[in-house]
């Protein structure tokens, strides 16, 4: 595995690989790898000739008072893990390489960026859309792999590549969970043992929704109320939102049909956690 820091060098390497008719897969990350990241790398490895992983904690997607400084980082550990997964290139630029002095161009996916997590993290998705556009220009891959856990991010990136004619296929990969159901996240490291236990209520609430749907419940407000009730029984968990919507436009649904996304966000101690489930009701 080769580590590359310079965006121009990175682009030249990918252009060369493409000129040699190699299929390039790209996994953008902020590092501190867990099994969820490794699944993205494995999927890319199984589908592509060349696999590139980027590791960049992107300052523009963190708001004032958020955890940019504290975000977990362990470059040497990440490097070893990526190498073990057979990654070809680890792109790890410095902040100055991505945002040189005078940087002033941002990508805004309107509408989708302002709802759900966007309400609680103003500017977050503008930062994500901007850095992902830059990364797609630096790593002109055929396919890019993102976790379904960040369902809103995935919807925004799909919208953005369609709207801006970016020639890349976006592949969503299912959420990897701990044995007790908690969705894997680099931010789980912030949880105390007590909070870690309490956080499982989020998965249990989603499971409750699945059970209700399986029994034939189609009314989104009844499902949402039941989930809220369950989560409110856990004092260490403070719910931000539960949204029941389609997975493309993220438009709230009343009666469930077609592809349905149930997404939620909550604060547990210092951590802000998100999770979701996606169903196809035909
Ligand atoms: O999902 C993430 O880790 C980040 O939001 C991403 C897509 C790498 C952009 O910084």
């Amino acid at each position: 595995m080769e580590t590359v820091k310079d965006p121009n060098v990175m682009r030249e390497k990918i252009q060369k690989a493409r000129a040699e008719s190699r299929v390039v897969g790209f996994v953008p990350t902020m590092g501190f790898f867990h099994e969820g990241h490794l699944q993205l790398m494995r999927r890319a490895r199984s589908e592509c000739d060349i696999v590139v992983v980027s590791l960049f904690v992107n300052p523009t997607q963190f708001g004032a008072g958020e955890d940019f400084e504290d975000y977990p980082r362990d470059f040497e550990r990440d490097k070893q893990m990526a190498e073990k997964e057979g990654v070809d290139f680890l792109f790890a630029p410095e902040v100055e390489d991505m945002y040189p002095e005078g940087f002033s161009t941002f990508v805004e996916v309107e509408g989708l960026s302002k709802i759900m997590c966007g309400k609680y993290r103003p500017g977050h998705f503008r930062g994500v859309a901007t850095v992902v556009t830059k990364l797609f220009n630096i790593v002109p891959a055929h396919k890019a792999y993102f976790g379904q856990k960040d369902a809103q991010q995935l919807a925004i990136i799909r919208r953005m590549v369609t709207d801006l004619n970016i020639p890349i296929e976006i592949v969503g990969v299912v959420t990897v969970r701990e044995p007790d159901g908690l969705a894997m996240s680099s931010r789980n490291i912030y949880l105390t043992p007590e909070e870690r236990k309490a956080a499982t209520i989020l998965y249990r609430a989603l499971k409750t929704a699945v059970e209700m749907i399986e029994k034939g419940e189609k009314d989104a407000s009844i499902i949402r109320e039941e989930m809220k009730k369950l989560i409110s029984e856990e004092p260490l968990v403070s719910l931000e939102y539960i949204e029941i919507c389609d997975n493309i436009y993220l438009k709230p649904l009343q009666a469930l049909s077609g592809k349905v996304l149930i997404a939620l966000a909550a604060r547990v101690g210092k951590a802000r956690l998100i999770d979701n489930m996606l169903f196809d009701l035909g």
Side-chain angles (χ1 to χ4, degrees), residues 12-25:
E12 276 163 21
K13 288 187 185 285
I14 302 308
Q15 279 166 343
K16 182 167 176 284
R18 288 188 70 121
E20 290 164 355
S21 301
R22 318 266 263 162
V23 176
V24 180

Side-chain angles (χ1 to χ4, degrees), residues 28-30 58 61 128 131-132 146 150 153:
T29 82
M30 296 208 299
N58 171 38
Q61 68 188 78
V128 171
V131 81
V132 171
F146 294 89
D150 298 294
Q153 169 171 284

Side-chain angles (χ1 to χ4, degrees), residues 27-31 37 40 54-62 71 99 121 124-125 127-129 131-132 135 145-147 150 153 157 186:
V27 181
T29 82
M30 296 208 299
H37 296 108
L40 300 179
S54 65
L55 195 170
F56 179 64
V57 184
N58 171 38
T60 64
Q61 68 188 78
F62 291 80
Y71 196 83
Y99 298 108
R121 303 189 69 190
H124 168 65
F125 289 118
V128 171
V131 81
V132 171
L135 289 169
Y145 297 80
F146 294 89
D150 298 294
Q153 169 171 284
I157 291 168
S186 305

Side-chain angles (χ1 to χ4, degrees), residues 47-85:
E47 294 180 355
C48 305
D49 301 316
I50 301 285
V51 176
V52 186
V53 171
S54 65
L55 195 170
F56 179 64
V57 184
N58 171 38
T60 64
Q61 68 188 78
F62 291 80
E66 288 192 349
D67 56 345
F68 174 66
E69 299 295 341
D70 295 345
Y71 196 83
R73 293 162 169 90
D74 192 339
F75 182 71
E76 284 309 318
R77 173 180 162 274
D78 284 350
K79 200 169 143 184
Q80 279 175 21
M81 287 169 90
E83 183 133 41
K84 220 168 136 213
E85 295 306 326

